[in-house]
Amino acid sequence: MKPMGRDVVIVGAGVAGTSVFVQLIRALARADGPRVRSVRLVDPRPVGWGVAFGDSDPLLLCNSAAEVNSLLADRLDDFVDYLRQRHGWTGTPQDCVPRARMAEYCHDRWAEARRTATALGVGTEHVRAAAAAIGTGPDGRRLVRLEGPAGRELPADAVVVCTGVHRPRVPDGFAALTAHPRYLDSPYPAGRLRDGVRPGSRVLVLGTRQSAVDAALLLGRDGHHVTMTSPSGLLPAVRLSLGAPPHPLPPVERIASLDPHDPALEDKVLRHVVEGVRLLSDRPLRRQASTAADPVERLREETALVDAGVCAWPGVVVAALEAVIELGAVLPAGRRHALMRRFAWFTDRYATAMTVVNAHRLLALFDTGALRVAGSYPRAVSAADDDGWRITWPGAGEPERFGLVVNATGFLPPELYRSPDGQTLHLSGGVTPSGATAVDHLEADLRVRARPGAPPEPVWVAGVGTHVRIPFSNHLRNVARQARRVAEEVAGPADGEPGGSQGQ
């Protein structure tokens, strides 16, 4: 007979996985008696030190304010309190801090939760391995299969998939060249840019958004000459930080209750956002951003607007993201995708705007000539072992030479794939069998189902992997809310028990 209590496996130990773990232990501490016997956190990296925040280089900042980075959905000031108590931090809740502080926070809260779990009699373990698949055993329990020749399997009554981003995108024109020794598929960890680059190198950074900004800052600091390029040529907009709204914004909040079938939905979303900005400033919205065609001049003008304190639009961004997340959860998939396409311009430049601290750093590199933005994307690319890369620009004559190419175009979202027989879920990044189909549907409970309307499986998804249902699935305040919901379900009664909903 199986011992009392459920065995839980959380796949992924970044922010989402850590948040699920911490809030699960908190839920168990409030319960009459632990219904969970063990919790395993599966990740090859140290807890908290994922791709998003797991870099100790102090130049890399969180892009969101400290006040919106709590792991706990019911304690929004937890990260700020941690910074002040553990590090003597004297900043404001709107400030951005080095990403390593977020990783340390996750790791420390995990360690505290482990001690609480031990006191409750709940076993915990950090399994330093990557998960490849989730199968079904003969007794109906799930088996989390780990990568490696041994093929170790962890039995579980509940599995929470919290895998973040790991697979870099392949930029246009480079599909056959990614194995070149002077090509880096990502700027992270930052040590790769220090250890593998010759002093004073000429480096081509593919991309002009957040990852590319990080790459340019890291390379420029170390004395390299950097060229950024992308099809759009657009740098992110500039703001103080991604912080909480300064006060309630009813027009923006009403976005969540708009009619999902309204043919004018997109126009109404935009109208509500503009009305929200008007509540924060009498300055016309068109005068809160630059329209300069040159990306460097636009960066300079938008930085000056933030420095002058006349840039109010960032104050609506978190409220708008959260309202669209709530609205998107009830939209049919096609309409949700159409909504996101309509506002791609907002997502690409404004929802993911850079902090003004990084804007000043970039301007310093532009002003010294250490950094430039190419006027177009490469027309042709060739690689040579002797001197790196030859890049041909549209309308140009001789190719331009670079010693290194850094891909900073971002990462593909994580996905689950179901095997042809329906018995196994494969995690993206591993070996996916022929005929497997992507899991492209989640319902409100964030549980995996074989098809819409089918009975739920004892597998939940939290964090970035919820992108199949949730817009802006990496928004940290929403991730913490998802983690709390999942944690409470896993800690609660099982299916068949009074008040229960969990399948086993």
Side-chain angles (χ1 to χ4, degrees):
M1 179 180 294
K2 187 181 75 172
M4 294 295 293
R6 297 190 288 270
D7 295 311
V8 179
V9 172
I10 301 171
V11 179
V15 170
T18 306
S19 183
V20 171
F21 182 91
V22 171
Q23 296 190 91
L24 173 58
I25 301 305
R26 284 163 57 89
L28 294 174
R30 295 191 299 268
D32 295 335
R35 295 186 174 92
V36 170
R37 182 166 65 107
S38 71
V39 185
R40 292 185 173 96
L41 203 54
V42 178
D43 198 307
R45 294 169 175 259
V47 173
W49 292 82
V51 173
F53 297 102
D55 203 306
S56 59
D57 195 302
L59 193 67
L60 298 178
L61 297 177
C62 295
N63 193 43
S64 49
E67 65 183 356
V68 298
N69 284 6
S70 174
L71 291 174
L72 306 177
D74 60 351
R75 287 191 54 193
L76 300 181
D77 58 352
D78 190 57
F79 184 45
V80 171
D81 287 348
Y82 170 84
L83 291 170
R84 289 175 174 162
Q85 295 168 7
R86 296 291 180 91
H87 296 283
W89 185 63
T90 57
T92 73
Q94 294 77 37
D95 288 344
C96 297
V97 299
R99 292 180 200 169
R101 290 288 181 259
M102 187 67 184
E104 292 165 355
Y105 163 64
C106 290
H107 192 87
D108 287 354
R109 289 292 186 255
W110 165 75
E112 293 169 359
R114 287 191 78 180
R115 291 192 287 271
T116 300
T118 298
L120 294 172
V122 178
T124 63
E125 181 185 5
H126 174 205
V127 180
R128 296 291 293 265
I134 304 166
T136 305
D139 58 356
R141 301 178 80 201
R142 293 307 184 264
L143 299 172
V144 178
R145 188 180 312 143
L146 307 182
E147 291 184 354
R152 180 185 175 192
E153 294 182 328
L154 305 178
D157 303 290
V159 179
V160 187
V161 179
C162 301
T163 49
V165 295
H166 295 285
R167 298 178 297 155
R169 298 180 185 276
V170 177
D172 293 344
F174 286 82
L177 302 170
T178 58
H180 192 278
R182 295 186 190 174
Y183 172 92
L184 291 181
D185 62 359
S186 160
Y188 313 113
R192 305 172 74 194
L193 299 181
R194 292 191 300 269
D195 300 338
V197 189
R198 299 171 184 171
S201 290
R202 301 184 72 249
V203 183
L204 180 65
V205 172
L206 304 173
T208 53
R209 297 181 187 170
Q210 286 291 353
S211 294
V213 169
D214 286 344
L217 293 176
L218 292 163
L219 291 161
R221 177 193 62 186
D222 293 342
H224 303 295
H225 303 280
V226 182
T227 297
M228 303 169 74
T229 181
S230 72
S232 73
L234 293 175
L235 293 168
V238 182
R239 63 183 170 213
L240 180 65
S241 66
L242 180 65
H247 53 71
L249 299 171
V252 181
E253 293 164 3
R254 285 197 291 271
I255 291 172
S257 58
L258 291 175
D259 181 0
H261 305 291
D262 188 337
L265 177 65
E266 290 83 358
D267 291 335
K268 290 183 178 179
V269 168
L270 181 59
R271 192 179 312 142
H272 283 298
V273 171
V274 172
E275 289 175 4
V277 176
R278 288 173 180 160
L279 290 179
L280 300 179
S281 174
D282 293 332
R283 188 182 183 93
L285 186 55
R286 65 179 180 277
R287 294 180 57 208
Q288 297 183 34
S290 169
T291 58
D294 178 73
V296 180
E297 185 59 27
R298 194 170 187 177
L299 174 68
R300 197 178 306 280
E301 292 179 3
E302 291 182 338
T303 302
L305 288 169
V306 176
D307 288 341
V310 296
C311 186
W313 64 262
V316 308
V317 171
V318 166
L321 293 183
E322 295 182 349
V324 171
I325 286 170
E326 191 173 347
L327 172 65
V330 300
L331 291 177
R335 194 66 193 274
R336 183 170 62 248
H337 295 155
L339 179 70
M340 298 306 292
R341 285 194 300 271
R342 168 72 182 276
F343 293 106
W345 59 271
F346 171 79
T347 303
D348 292 347
R349 286 209 77 235
Y350 297 96
T352 56
M354 75 176 85
T355 171
V356 70
V357 173
N358 281 346
H360 280 292
R361 291 169 172 173
L362 278 185
L363 287 172
L365 293 176
F366 282 123
D367 290 343
T368 62
L371 174 63
R372 69 182 174 109
V373 176
S376 55
Y377 193 74
R379 176 174 61 83
V381 179
S382 61
D385 292 336
D386 56 342
D387 58 1
W389 300 87
R390 292 181 175 86
I391 305 297
T392 303
W393 304 103
E398 290 296 314
E400 189 174 0
R401 296 189 176 188
F402 292 90
L404 180 74
V405 167
V406 179
N407 173 30
T409 59
F411 295 81
L412 296 170
E415 293 184 290
L416 287 173
Y417 294 88
R418 189 176 295 277
S419 62
D421 64 5
Q423 296 301 303
T424 304
L425 293 169
H426 297 268
L427 282 74
S428 56
V431 178
T432 303
S434 176
T437 56
V439 176
D440 60 1
H441 175 82
L442 285 175
E443 296 184 15
D445 58 6
L446 303 182
R447 292 178 68 169
V448 174
R449 288 165 168 80
R451 60 190 176 280
E457 301 178 23
V459 180
W460 285 256
V461 181
V464 184
T466 63
H467 65 90
V468 298
R469 176 182 176 86
I470 308 295
F472 307 113
S473 58
N474 60 343
H475 176 50
L476 288 184
R477 291 216 308 190
N478 188 58
V479 170
R481 294 184 187 114
Q482 289 180 357
R484 176 179 60 181
R485 175 172 186 162
V486 170
E488 289 175 348
E489 286 199 25
V490 172
D495 288 344
E497 296 180 11
S501 62
Q502 179 177 311
Q504 295 208 43

